[in-house]
Amino acid sequence: MILVTGGAGYIGSHTCLELLASGYEVVVLDNLSNSCVESLQRVKKIVNGKVSFIKGDIRDKVSLRRIFSQYSITAVIHFAGFKAVGESVEQPLRYYDNNVGGTLCLLGVMAEYGCKQLVFSSSATVYGDPSSVPIRENFPVSATNPYGRTKLMVENILRDLAASDSQWSIALLRYFNPVGAHESGLIGEDPNGIPNNLMPYITQVAVGKHDSLCVFGGDYPTFDGTGVRDYIHIVDLAKGHLKALAALELETGVLTINLGTGRGYSVLEVIAAFEKVSGCKIPYRFVERRQGDVAQCYADPSYAKLVLGWQAEYGIERMCQDAWRWQICNPEGYKSA
Ligand code: NAD
Ligand code: WQD
């Protein structure tokens, strides 16, 4: 049985789907602070499977112990946490408490029950402003905001833990920019309020929720002046977690792995790809650069291919197509149900 913390969220729900489709048994622990159980209802519908769901908080050791006592958990995929960069600057203590404190709490209970296999959601944000691209796993790390610092802190905690006890197998997965949705259009990204991220903002412009997109900076040292990122289809990303789980079975220690496609797209290229597949015009205007943004960020994904046998399959048009299908089928996200 795999415990998926934060499994009702965007990446968690898609990963639960892939786990079930591959025959894993899954129990989700989620406090629903940024999600709803409808996502998991739909996962069950898509795969015609069963997910055990427990509403609870990773910072609550009593709930965690109850789960580990009740189920025979062999590994944990740990998604639970807060992820909004701007919010982390305004509310750092909430971020450290949930992302770092919550992880410590989870690790303590895992150790108590002798469950020592963990997949952790890290982020390309740990590379800060990279001195060159594509980014390899051995590039220097740094953080430019509290959210990024929580990811770096947890990575370090996990390395110390594995160094102290050779039974631990840990995968630190550094995600680049997850976008898109499952092809069914039943599950996808359901941001609260106005989206911070590019793809959900574009799809909301396309359904008429916003008049136009603000392009944050047109003067970056990139080929068209706009920021370049490594967008990765959420289903590819989810599949990477299954490959990581399989790798943890084979070897102890810490694996640090980029999950990206290796191809960067500029903001204008993403807009063009979306317009092509949706047939919708996305009005946009250039505004100031967003504080903390870097010019280019894309992965060298060769290590993931080497050690996990994983590589992304879907390209940018498919990402846009699936993001668009999810948006038109669910204009209000899961609240549309
Ligand atoms: P999400 O907000 O959709 O999912 C996180 C889930 O965790 C939500 O369902 C939320 O309710 C739950 N949660 C939060 N705090 C909890 C707690 N204390 N106890 C139990 N449940 C809790 O976010 P996501 O995009 O699916 O991200 C999942 C993970 O991946 C996060 O750790 C995030 O930092 C990391 N990540 C995300 C991205 C991205 O762009 N989406 C990129 C890199 C890394
Ligand atoms: C992509 C590009 C923007 C919105 C963030 C987090 C990162 C990780 C993934 C969690 C950039 C531009 C965006 C808009 C725009 N999350 N943009 N107008 O910033 O690469 O990464 O999500 O770990 O930590 O920082 O993603 O989608 O916000 O931006 O022009 O309205 O789109 O400037 O070039 P980002 P994003």
Side-chain angles (χ1 to χ4, degrees), residues 47-182:
V47 288
N48 192 20
K50 177 175 171 282
V51 190
S52 304
F53 173 72
I54 287 137
K55 184 174 176 199
D57 198 296
I58 52 165
R59 290 163 293 187
D60 173 10
K61 282 201 170 180
V62 176
S63 293
L64 284 170
R65 290 195 182 104
R66 204 176 297 132
I67 294 171
F68 279 89
S69 304
Q70 190 180 345
Y71 301 94
S72 170
I73 309 287
T74 51
V76 177
I77 306 183
H78 177 34
F79 293 110
F82 296 142
K83 63 168 177 178
V85 172
E87 195 180 66
S88 80
V89 176
E90 284 151 25
Q91 306 170 15
L93 296 184
R94 253 186 92 222
Y95 272 68
Y96 289 115
D97 178 51
N98 199 26
N99 294 10
V100 183
T103 303
L104 286 174
C105 199
L106 171 70
L107 295 171
V109 176
M110 287 179 71
E112 279 175 31
Y113 285 83
C115 173
K116 297 184 178 177
Q117 295 190 358
L118 177 78
V119 178
F120 173 64
S121 299
S122 189
S123 167
T125 192
V126 301
Y127 295 114
D129 193 352
S131 54
S132 65
V133 280
I135 301 169
R136 285 192 306 274
E137 287 83 352
N138 61 1
F139 273 31
V141 291
S142 67
T144 51
N145 56 69
Y147 167 72
R149 232 164 336 263
T150 67
K151 293 294 175 193
L152 274 183
M153 283 179 181
V154 171
E155 284 202 359
N156 286 327
I157 290 167
L158 292 171
R159 284 200 192 88
D160 287 342
L161 179 63
S164 74
D165 175 351
S166 61
Q167 292 178 343
W168 281 89
S169 307
I170 297 170
L172 308 177
L173 302 183
R174 293 174 173 167
Y175 313 150
F176 281 70
N177 289 55
V179 295
H182 187 258

Side-chain angles (χ1 to χ4, degrees), residues 179-180 231-233 261 314-323:
V179 295
Y231 299 93
I232 171 167
H233 196 291
T261 64
Y314 298 125
I316 192 73
E317 290 189 3
R318 177 66 188 265
M319 299 178 211
C320 292
Q321 209 173 26
D322 288 340

Side-chain angles (χ1 to χ4, degrees), residues 22-308:
S22 294
Y24 284 96
E25 292 183 308
V26 176
V27 54
V28 167
L29 173 67
D30 199 303
N31 65 3
L32 304 181
S33 56
N34 196 36
S35 55
C36 54
V37 277
E38 178 66 17
S39 62
L40 294 175
Q41 303 297 353
R42 296 190 185 185
V43 165
K44 290 188 217 173
K45 193 166 149 186
I46 298 166
V47 288
N48 192 20
K50 177 175 171 282
V51 190
S52 304
F53 173 72
I54 287 137
K55 184 174 176 199
D57 198 296
I58 52 165
R59 290 163 293 187
D60 173 10
K61 282 201 170 180
V62 176
S63 293
L64 284 170
R65 290 195 182 104
R66 204 176 297 132
I67 294 171
F68 279 89
S69 304
Q70 190 180 345
Y71 301 94
S72 170
I73 309 287
T74 51
V76 177
I77 306 183
H78 177 34
F79 293 110
F82 296 142
K83 63 168 177 178
V85 172
E87 195 180 66
S88 80
V89 176
E90 284 151 25
Q91 306 170 15
L93 296 184
R94 253 186 92 222
Y95 272 68
Y96 289 115
D97 178 51
N98 199 26
N99 294 10
V100 183
T103 303
L104 286 174
C105 199
L106 171 70
L107 295 171
V109 176
M110 287 179 71
E112 279 175 31
Y113 285 83
C115 173
K116 297 184 178 177
Q117 295 190 358
L118 177 78
V119 178
F120 173 64
S121 299
S122 189
S123 167
T125 192
V126 301
Y127 295 114
D129 193 352
S131 54
S132 65
V133 280
I135 301 169
R136 285 192 306 274
E137 287 83 352
N138 61 1
F139 273 31
V141 291
S142 67
T144 51
N145 56 69
Y147 167 72
R149 232 164 336 263
T150 67
K151 293 294 175 193
L152 274 183
M153 283 179 181
V154 171
E155 284 202 359
N156 286 327
I157 290 167
L158 292 171
R159 284 200 192 88
D160 287 342
L161 179 63
S164 74
D165 175 351
S166 61
Q167 292 178 343
W168 281 89
S169 307
I170 297 170
L172 308 177
L173 302 183
R174 293 174 173 167
Y175 313 150
F176 281 70
N177 289 55
V179 295
H182 187 258
E183 63 178 353
S184 61
L186 286 172
I187 58 171
E189 186 172 10
D190 187 12
N192 250 333
I194 299 171
N196 296 313
N197 298 112
L198 179 64
M199 188 67 86
Y201 202 98
I202 289 178
T203 62
Q204 289 197 4
V205 169
V207 286
K209 285 192 171 186
H210 312 287
D211 294 336
S212 71
L213 170 77
C214 293
V215 176
F216 300 142
D219 57 352
Y220 282 106
T222 58
F223 79 97
D224 67 7
T226 67
V228 168
R229 296 291 183 276
D230 188 339
Y231 299 93
I232 171 167
H233 196 291
I234 186 71
V235 172
D236 277 330
L237 188 78
K239 288 177 177 166
H241 292 74
L242 275 71
K243 295 285 191 185
L245 271 186
L248 295 186
E249 295 273 330
L250 301 178
E251 226 176 311
T252 58
V254 179
L255 277 173
T256 304
I257 302 179
N258 286 341
L259 293 184
T261 64
R263 166 74 154 98
Y265 285 92
S266 73
V267 175
L268 297 184
E269 283 181 308
V270 176
I271 295 171
F274 183 85
E275 288 181 336
K276 182 176 167 200
V277 301
S278 68
C280 299
K281 194 91 198 119
I282 303 297
Y284 65 87
R285 62 198 165 87
F286 288 101
V287 298
E288 288 293 290
R289 292 181 179 189
R290 184 172 62 181
Q291 212 197 333
D293 274 357
V294 301
Q296 305 199 67
C297 178
Y298 57 91
D300 177 338
S302 50
Y303 191 59
K305 187 167 183 194
L306 181 75
V307 297
L308 302 183

